Amino acid sequence: MKSPFEIKKEICEVGHKLYAKNFVAANDGNISVKIGPNEFYCTPTGVSKGSLTPDMIIKVDGEGRKLEGKLNPSSEIKMHMRVYKDRPDVNAVVHAHPPVATAFTVADIDLDQYILPEAVLTIGEVPTCDYGTPSTMEIPDSLEPYIQNHDAFLLRNHGALTVGCDLNKAMFTMEEVEFNAIICKHAMELGAVHEIPGPQLVKLMELRKKMNLPGRHPGIEVEEAKPAFNCSKEELVEAITKKVLAALGK
């Protein structure tokens, strides 16, 4: 069993990775780990994830109330607590603002195309949750339709949330979400997104079952697999422009 210091140190290391990968800026993002039935370690508010040290980590209860620590928990701890309440299998939560994945939510483009075997195996389709005001219950409530079947969530105009059986799994899932979004964006810019064919998707899901991968997976609806997305760069720009103008009511 890991000591409290070891767990706090791991939280700091994940925070440093998030900052180094530009998944967060300034004091953005938050991390938490379940350490008991009603006890959790979490990152503090107002501190850059790039400069976290173990003594900064706070202990809170299931309501997000501080039990130990010099600093205060993030107001977004409500989002973490909702996950732990609804998903007893989850032992760690990571919230960050990976730029490309977040840009998909801003552009109102779903991250739901099956393009990389690794992403199909680990995360499947990533849902985009409704926009919610930070620090309120709106964001925790926006997870409700998806929380039981997914380990990765995009938060509209706000970032991403990933969960896991341990902190490494939650962090790996965050990396997978952003990497998948980057590849999808590049393919769109090149003019074509060709998804993995249905029969191959079935094989991947069989492989996932054999590998006994942890976590919740939404599954793959092969009959609903979308056709390849093909367009020129000009057509892509026009399509995005139309979406923006429509959102502005013009």
Side-chain angles (χ1 to χ4, degrees):
M1 182 179 293
K2 295 176 182 177
S3 69
F5 178 80
E6 288 173 323
I7 298 172
K8 292 178 181 180
K9 186 170 180 290
E10 285 186 353
I11 292 174
C12 293
E13 289 171 350
V14 167
H16 298 165
K17 287 180 182 178
L18 290 173
Y19 189 80
K21 290 176 176 292
N22 294 317
F23 284 12
V24 291
N27 59 356
D28 293 349
N30 27 79
I31 306 162
S32 67
V33 172
K34 184 176 182 178
I35 58 172
N38 194 45
E39 292 184 334
F40 308 82
Y41 282 142
C42 69
T43 49
T45 188
V47 175
S48 167
K49 302 305 164 289
S51 57
L52 282 173
T53 55
D55 61 298
M56 296 177 180
I57 305 303
I58 304 156
K59 181 189 286 188
V60 297
D61 65 14
E63 299 298 321
R65 296 176 294 226
K66 184 169 72 170
L67 300 176
E68 294 178 6
K70 298 179 294 184
L71 303 174
N72 292 314
S74 166
S75 59
E76 292 190 325
I77 195 65
K78 302 179 183 72
M79 179 168 53
H80 296 241
M81 294 302 109
R82 174 63 65 85
V83 172
Y84 293 122
K85 178 181 177 182
D86 292 352
R87 288 279 302 276
D89 60 307
V90 169
N91 292 310
V93 178
V94 174
H95 167 52
H97 302 163
V100 179
T102 303
F104 268 72
T105 77
V106 175
D108 195 24
I109 299 174
D110 293 329
L111 192 57
D112 61 353
Q113 293 175 305
Y114 308 132
I115 58 173
L116 301 177
E118 295 81 4
V120 172
L121 285 170
T122 57
I123 57 177
E125 176 184 338
V126 181
T128 300
C129 304
D130 291 340
Y131 177 78
T133 305
S135 82
T136 71
M137 292 305 295
E138 292 175 8
I139 295 181
D141 289 345
S142 75
L143 297 171
E144 199 68 33
Y146 314 105
I147 188 65
Q148 295 301 329
N149 298 313
H150 297 263
D151 284 349
F153 316 86
L154 293 181
L155 309 175
R156 191 174 298 281
N157 294 77
H158 186 60
L161 184 79
T162 57
V163 307
C165 56
D166 57 38
L167 187 52
N168 280 333
K169 179 65 167 60
M171 180 61 190
F172 288 162
T173 300
M174 181 66 71
E175 292 177 334
E176 193 70 61
V177 168
E178 178 67 355
F179 190 70
N180 195 46
I182 290 170
I183 298 298
C184 192
K185 174 179 177 291
H186 287 331
M188 291 170 68
E189 291 169 345
L190 290 170
V193 176
H194 293 280
E195 295 193 68
I196 298 170
Q200 299 302 319
L201 291 174
V202 172
K203 289 182 180 180
L204 285 172
M205 294 311 294
E206 291 173 350
L207 179 60
R208 186 179 196 280
K209 187 175 181 179
K210 289 179 182 178
M211 295 172 67
N212 196 28
L213 295 177
R216 303 284 175 88
H217 194 289
I220 301 294
E221 295 294 335
V222 175
E223 65 274 14
E224 296 179 5
K226 296 164 287 301
F229 171 81
N230 293 278
C231 72
S232 66
K233 290 185 179 180
E234 292 75 14
E235 289 171 330
L236 177 62
V237 171
E238 183 181 356
I240 293 175
T241 301
K242 285 181 178 179
K243 279 182 174 288
V244 172
L245 291 177
L248 293 174
K250 296 184 178 180

